[in-house]
Amino acid sequence: MKIGIIGGTGDIGEGLAHRLSQNHQIIIGSRDKDKACESSECMVQCLSERGCSAHCCGATNQEAVDIADIIVISVNYRHLESTISSLTGFENKIVITPVNPIGKSDHFYYNPPAEGSAALAIKKMLPESAKIVAAFNNISAQKWKNLDETLDYSVAVCGDDKDAKKIVMGLVEEVSELTAFDAGPLETSSIIESITPLILNIAKFNNMKDVGIKFY
Ligand SMILES: NC(=O)c1ccc[n+]([C@@H]2O[C@H](COP(=O)([O-])OP(=O)(O)OC[C@H]3O[C@@H](n4cnc5c(N)ncnc54)[C@H](OP(=O)(O)O)[C@@H]3O)[C@@H](O)[C@H]2O)c1
């Protein structure tokens, strides 16, 4: 599949690209195409040093949307609206959101928009035919990037389009030891997003690093 990552030069975008580019064509999107190409070259080099081939290229965010079958929106919540409103062509595409609207004081807290979650806000911003799926919200980018690390975690996936959700769950299961769980319709996305501040607080207050979740 062709997977375009909007904001793909960032932490989670690069992490996802590291793991998914061995089986899929990854288009790393950016506001700056040169930056995206640099990020792609760096990753291809890193994987080739490990004897792995990577299918990856750099592009503008718009090119990533145009080329891809599946689009990951990998920008901070506060840049969502400006990013999405600058792009077109989401009709009928699968759009994955790992976006977590989080605030921070002496602890992390869930800070959702009026729509109820980032995923529901994205749904409102995109054409009706776009198939929004929330996934990859709760695993830290560092874990994705460190290819020596086995990813033995659960990934909660939610969305309203059953076929799109099934495709995304299939993608999840291709990665390391990840297990995908159907968490219901997009309405449940706030629950998935709010797990992230929980695990960040657990990491912070228990001197742990990159806490993850696993369902039995
Ligand atoms: N980091 C994690 O461990 C992690 C884990 C799970 C989920 N998430 C979620 O994934 C999303 C991305 O997180 P991240 O840590 O990867 O973010 P990030 O590294 O801070 O930023 C991602 C990309 O956003 C773009 N960007 C920066 N400022 C922007 C602006 N003003 N307008 C538009 N684009 C801008 C940049 O790409 P260009 O400069 O190339 O355009 C940047 O590389 C967040 O919503 C986060 O909640 C993160």
Side-chain angles (χ1 to χ4, degrees):
M1 277 182 284
K2 293 182 185 147
I3 304 173
I5 309 180
I6 296 172
T9 59
D11 288 332
I12 194 72
E14 284 193 344
L16 290 170
H18 271 74
R19 300 277 182 167
L20 296 173
S21 62
Q22 292 165 57
N23 294 337
H24 301 281
Q25 171 68 38
I26 304 297
I27 304 107
I28 293 188
S30 170
R31 292 167 297 169
D32 173 352
K33 188 167 180 171
D34 289 341
K35 183 178 170 189
C37 292
E38 216 172 282
S39 164
S40 167
E41 280 158 25
C42 208
M43 198 200 61
V44 170
Q45 168 85 19
C46 157
L47 283 168
S48 85
E49 280 165 12
R50 301 174 63 93
C52 306
S53 61
H55 312 282
C56 189
C57 65
T60 61
N61 284 331
Q62 184 61 61
E63 286 167 340
V65 175
D66 293 341
I67 298 167
D69 316 301
I70 298 181
I71 299 148
V72 183
I73 301 188
S74 180
V75 297
N76 197 290
Y77 179 76
R78 65 182 181 280
H79 304 315
L80 257 189
E81 191 151 12
S82 60
T83 301
I84 291 181
S85 65
S86 70
L87 301 169
T88 57
F90 289 93
E91 286 79 4
N92 299 309
K93 300 212 175 184
I94 295 175
V95 178
I96 301 178
T97 161
V99 176
N100 300 308
I102 295 176
K104 193 180 173 196
S105 53
D106 64 331
H107 62 279
F108 297 93
Y109 57 91
Y110 187 49
N111 189 21
E115 291 80 359
S117 72
L120 292 168
I122 289 171
K123 184 182 163 79
K124 206 168 160 189
M125 291 175 206
L126 291 181
E128 219 169 292
S129 63
K131 300 156 192 168
I132 324 296
V133 178
F136 305 128
N137 296 74
N138 311 130
I139 300 173
S140 92
Q142 295 320 312
K143 296 244 177 225
W144 282 94
K145 274 195 216 179
N146 181 0
L147 296 172
D148 290 328
E149 180 119 25
T150 302
L151 297 184
D152 188 11
Y153 299 109
S154 301
V155 176
V157 181
C158 75
D160 294 334
D161 186 293
K162 285 197 167 61
D163 293 335
K165 187 158 55 174
K166 206 167 161 194
I167 289 170
V168 175
M169 289 176 72
L171 263 187
V172 170
E173 301 250 336
E174 287 175 19
V175 177
S176 191
E177 300 294 320
L178 292 183
T179 310
F181 287 85
D182 186 341
L186 203 66
E187 201 63 44
T188 67
S189 50
S190 60
I191 303 170
I192 298 177
E193 294 172 6
S194 63
I195 291 172
T196 301
L198 167 69
I199 59 181
L200 289 172
N201 285 327
I202 287 174
K204 177 179 161 110
F205 293 109
N206 296 274
N207 285 324
M208 294 164 76
K209 217 170 160 246
D210 299 332
V211 175
I213 53 165
K214 191 162 176 179
F215 306 121
Y216 291 90

